[in-house]
Amino acid sequence: MTGDRQMFTTPYRPPTPPNGPSTCPRCRQPVIWCLTDTNRRAQPINPGRDATGTTAIRQDVTGRWRSRGLTRERPTPEGAEVLHIPHAATCPTPRPRKTPR
């Protein structure tokens, strides 16, 4: 009688991306995981402030860490944002690059 029964399934939810202070999974250095403003992906950021940094990070009202790259339209930090450097630029064991096919 499986034809008479309705199957209830829960919708798939992707895992929550990391957010906040943690460590890099490759080199184990401390990082701050931030969600990018453009595509909502997790990006590791070096925790130390850097005046020459290219990424502005902040904590939103929910406590999530957010980041955005500086652009021509918005070249300086705004509000509570501070400048940092993306960890990918300084990681001693970076992610392997994809080889072109």
Side-chain angles (χ1 to χ4, degrees), residues 1-93:
M1 287 212 146
T2 57
D4 295 344
R5 297 173 63 195
Q6 284 186 320
M7 297 297 292
F8 293 101
T9 59
T10 57
Y12 171 73
R13 282 193 158 156
T16 305
N19 195 267
S22 187
T23 56
C24 172
R26 296 189 181 280
C27 68
R28 298 292 185 214
Q29 290 182 354
V31 297
I32 300 172
W33 286 95
C34 299
L35 292 176
T36 61
D37 281 349
T38 53
N39 59 8
R40 307 279 190 259
R41 290 187 180 217
Q43 177 185 23
I45 305 289
N46 287 342
R49 294 180 181 194
D50 192 327
T52 62
T54 58
T55 302
I57 71 167
R58 69 190 184 287
Q59 261 188 304
D60 65 14
V61 294
T62 64
R64 287 192 181 133
W65 290 86
R66 310 288 265 195
S67 69
R68 71 171 180 89
L70 300 181
T71 62
R72 280 189 205 150
E73 295 81 25
R74 297 170 67 193
T76 58
E78 302 166 354
E81 293 178 336
V82 289
L83 292 178
H84 289 256
I85 295 178
H87 184 65
T90 61
C91 186
T93 54

